Amino acid sequence: MYRIYMIEDDNGILEAVKSQGERWGLQVLGVRNFRKILAEFSEIQPHMVIMDIGLPAFDGYHWCTEIRRISKCPILFLSSASDNMNMVMAMNMGGDDFVVKPFDLEVLLAKVQAILRRTYSFQNRSAAIMEHGNVILNLTDMSLLYQGKKLELSKNEF
């Protein structure tokens, strides 16, 4: 299961993405402390970050730069600051994509899936996730996701 670290100060948006993400087999973890984003990032070790630009304490550009110093994890900006200057700046600071608020949840999650597929499926096939129907087998951590429940498999079960 892919872990998504969501750096968003609007709890309504965070909860909506969490809920929809679970339906897509993703684990979405929200920021707990806006002053310790880098420490939380290191603890969670997400496969992807979804980040707003306007945040308490430091803005999304700052945190994108800090994350880029230690990781090549994909970063998708999700913001209402949708003028061309903000979009260009987000990409120049290390962002991989930009979704404008208000947004459609299905479109956002489709973009997330596409970025994850390009980042992880094509680069490292040995650390893949296999899907069949509504069952997801994670070859990295030997787990199975079925109907929203994660099952840790033993070596023999795997």
Side-chain angles (χ1 to χ4, degrees), residues 8 13 26 29 41 43 48 52 54 56 58 65 73-74 86 92-93 106 115 118 121 130:
E8 171 63 59
I13 291 174
L26 302 170
L29 304 161
F41 175 88
E43 177 188 320
M48 182 175 184
D52 195 356
F58 297 101
T65 302
C73 159
N86 277 301
N92 285 340
M93 299 301 269
E106 293 293 326
I115 291 170
R118 282 192 308 271
S121 295
M130 297 175 65

Side-chain angles (χ1 to χ4, degrees), residues 76-124:
L76 182 144
F77 277 91
L78 178 65
S79 181
S80 58
S82 61
D83 58 277
N84 287 345
M85 178 59 94
N86 277 301
M87 290 179 167
V88 168
M89 197 151 150
M91 298 300 115
N92 285 340
M93 299 301 269
D96 295 289
D97 204 345
F98 195 105
V99 173
V100 177
K101 291 178 185 175
F103 61 96
D104 182 279
L105 273 171
E106 293 293 326
V107 171
L108 174 68
L109 271 296
K111 282 189 172 225
V112 167
Q113 287 283 27
I115 291 170
L116 291 170
R117 186 173 51 249
R118 282 192 308 271
T119 303
Y120 298 103
S121 295
F122 298 141
Q123 289 184 358
N124 187 358

